[in-house]
mmCIF file of all heavy atoms in Angstrom:
data_model
loop_
_atom_site.group_PDB
_atom_site.id
_atom_site.type_symbol
_atom_site.label_atom_id
_atom_site.label_comp_id
_atom_site.label_asym_id
_atom_site.label_seq_id
_atom_site.Cartn_x
_atom_site.Cartn_y
_atom_site.Cartn_z
ATOM 1 N N GLN A 240 -40.748 63.555 -114.852
ATOM 2 C CA GLN A 240 -40.693 64.712 -115.781
ATOM 3 C C GLN A 240 -39.500 64.628 -116.731
ATOM 4 O O GLN A 240 -39.279 65.552 -117.503
ATOM 5 C CB GLN A 240 -40.627 66.017 -114.959
ATOM 6 C CG GLN A 240 -41.815 66.240 -114.058
ATOM 7 C CD GLN A 240 -43.134 66.243 -114.807
ATOM 8 O OE1 GLN A 240 -43.986 65.386 -114.573
ATOM 9 N NE2 GLN A 240 -43.266 67.162 -115.748
ATOM 10 N N GLN A 241 -38.748 63.541 -116.619
ATOM 11 C CA GLN A 241 -37.585 63.324 -117.493
ATOM 12 C C GLN A 241 -36.563 64.453 -117.365
ATOM 13 O O GLN A 241 -36.023 64.945 -118.348
ATOM 14 C CB GLN A 241 -38.045 63.152 -118.956
ATOM 15 C CG GLN A 241 -38.974 61.961 -119.148
ATOM 16 C CD GLN A 241 -39.401 61.782 -120.597
ATOM 17 O OE1 GLN A 241 -38.872 62.455 -121.489
ATOM 18 N NE2 GLN A 241 -40.316 60.859 -120.821
ATOM 19 N N PHE A 242 -36.325 64.840 -116.094
ATOM 20 C CA PHE A 242 -35.301 65.836 -115.809
ATOM 21 C C PHE A 242 -33.974 65.134 -115.558
ATOM 22 O O PHE A 242 -33.933 64.056 -114.914
ATOM 23 C CB PHE A 242 -35.653 66.673 -114.581
ATOM 24 C CG PHE A 242 -36.845 67.559 -114.760
ATOM 25 C CD1 PHE A 242 -37.555 68.044 -113.670
ATOM 26 C CD2 PHE A 242 -37.249 67.957 -116.020
ATOM 27 C CE1 PHE A 242 -38.643 68.855 -113.838
ATOM 28 C CE2 PHE A 242 -38.341 68.786 -116.211
ATOM 29 C CZ PHE A 242 -39.048 69.214 -115.124
ATOM 30 N N GLY A 243 -32.887 65.742 -115.978
ATOM 31 C CA GLY A 243 -31.576 65.255 -115.592
ATOM 32 C C GLY A 243 -31.300 65.654 -114.157
ATOM 33 O O GLY A 243 -31.572 66.782 -113.752
ATOM 34 N N LEU A 244 -30.738 64.728 -113.371
ATOM 35 C CA LEU A 244 -30.527 65.003 -111.959
ATOM 36 C C LEU A 244 -29.243 65.785 -111.715
ATOM 37 O O LEU A 244 -29.179 66.628 -110.816
ATOM 38 C CB LEU A 244 -30.461 63.700 -111.155
ATOM 39 C CG LEU A 244 -31.789 63.115 -110.682
ATOM 40 C CD1 LEU A 244 -32.584 62.580 -111.853
ATOM 41 C CD2 LEU A 244 -31.540 62.028 -109.648
ATOM 42 N N ARG A 245 -28.206 65.570 -112.467
ATOM 43 C CA ARG A 245 -26.881 66.068 -112.158
ATOM 44 C C ARG A 245 -26.674 67.484 -112.679
ATOM 45 O O ARG A 245 -27.354 67.962 -113.595
ATOM 46 C CB ARG A 245 -25.829 65.151 -112.760
ATOM 47 C CG ARG A 245 -26.028 63.688 -112.451
ATOM 48 C CD ARG A 245 -25.832 63.364 -110.985
ATOM 49 N NE ARG A 245 -26.199 61.992 -110.687
ATOM 50 C CZ ARG A 245 -25.469 60.932 -110.979
ATOM 51 N NH1 ARG A 245 -24.328 61.077 -111.612
ATOM 52 N NH2 ARG A 245 -25.852 59.703 -110.652
ATOM 53 N N GLY A 246 -25.698 68.127 -112.069
ATOM 54 C CA GLY A 246 -25.275 69.467 -112.485
ATOM 55 C C GLY A 246 -23.761 69.558 -112.505
ATOM 56 O O GLY A 246 -23.058 68.553 -112.524
ATOM 57 N N HIS A 247 -23.244 70.774 -112.499
ATOM 58 C CA HIS A 247 -21.795 70.969 -112.524
ATOM 59 C C HIS A 247 -21.157 70.532 -111.191
ATOM 60 O O HIS A 247 -19.999 70.117 -111.169
ATOM 61 C CB HIS A 247 -21.453 72.418 -112.816
ATOM 62 C CG HIS A 247 -21.872 72.873 -114.177
ATOM 63 N ND1 HIS A 247 -21.285 72.414 -115.324
ATOM 64 C CD2 HIS A 247 -22.852 73.725 -114.567
ATOM 65 C CE1 HIS A 247 -21.860 72.989 -116.389
ATOM 66 N NE2 HIS A 247 -22.822 73.780 -115.948
ATOM 67 N N GLN A 248 -21.901 70.655 -110.112
ATOM 68 C CA GLN A 248 -21.361 70.284 -108.786
ATOM 69 C C GLN A 248 -22.477 69.531 -108.063
ATOM 70 O O GLN A 248 -23.428 70.141 -107.566
ATOM 71 C CB GLN A 248 -20.951 71.522 -108.011
ATOM 72 C CG GLN A 248 -20.302 71.207 -106.664
ATOM 73 C CD GLN A 248 -19.876 72.457 -105.928
ATOM 74 O OE1 GLN A 248 -20.082 73.573 -106.430
ATOM 75 N NE2 GLN A 248 -19.298 72.322 -104.767
ATOM 76 N N ASP A 249 -22.348 68.239 -108.038
ATOM 77 C CA ASP A 249 -23.436 67.405 -107.458
ATOM 78 C C ASP A 249 -22.958 66.576 -106.291
ATOM 79 O O ASP A 249 -23.433 65.462 -106.078
ATOM 80 C CB ASP A 249 -24.006 66.492 -108.546
ATOM 81 C CG ASP A 249 -22.922 65.650 -109.215
ATOM 82 O OD1 ASP A 249 -21.749 65.770 -108.813
ATOM 83 O OD2 ASP A 249 -23.251 64.881 -110.126
ATOM 84 N N SER A 250 -22.031 67.091 -105.486
ATOM 85 C CA SER A 250 -21.555 66.377 -104.313
ATOM 86 C C SER A 250 -21.359 67.389 -103.174
ATOM 87 O O SER A 250 -21.325 68.599 -103.404
ATOM 88 C CB SER A 250 -20.232 65.642 -104.600
ATOM 89 O OG SER A 250 -19.227 66.566 -104.965
ATOM 90 N N GLY A 251 -21.239 66.871 -101.978
ATOM 91 C CA GLY A 251 -21.068 67.742 -100.814
ATOM 92 C C GLY A 251 -22.387 68.125 -100.196
ATOM 93 O O GLY A 251 -23.477 67.745 -100.641
ATOM 94 N N ARG A 252 -22.310 68.921 -99.123
ATOM 95 C CA ARG A 252 -23.492 69.338 -98.394
ATOM 96 C C ARG A 252 -24.293 70.343 -99.218
ATOM 97 O O ARG A 252 -23.751 71.236 -99.865
ATOM 98 C CB ARG A 252 -23.109 69.958 -97.049
ATOM 99 C CG ARG A 252 -24.301 70.186 -96.102
ATOM 100 C CD ARG A 252 -23.810 70.750 -94.790
ATOM 101 N NE ARG A 252 -22.951 69.771 -94.147
ATOM 102 C CZ ARG A 252 -23.368 68.757 -93.400
ATOM 103 N NH1 ARG A 252 -24.700 68.561 -93.255
ATOM 104 N NH2 ARG A 252 -22.542 67.935 -92.824
#
Side-chain angles (χ1 to χ4, degrees):
Q240 300 303 117
Q241 299 182 9
F242 293 158
L244 275 70
R245 311 292 173 76
H247 295 291
Q248 185 179 359
D249 54 2
S250 61
R252 190 178 297 277

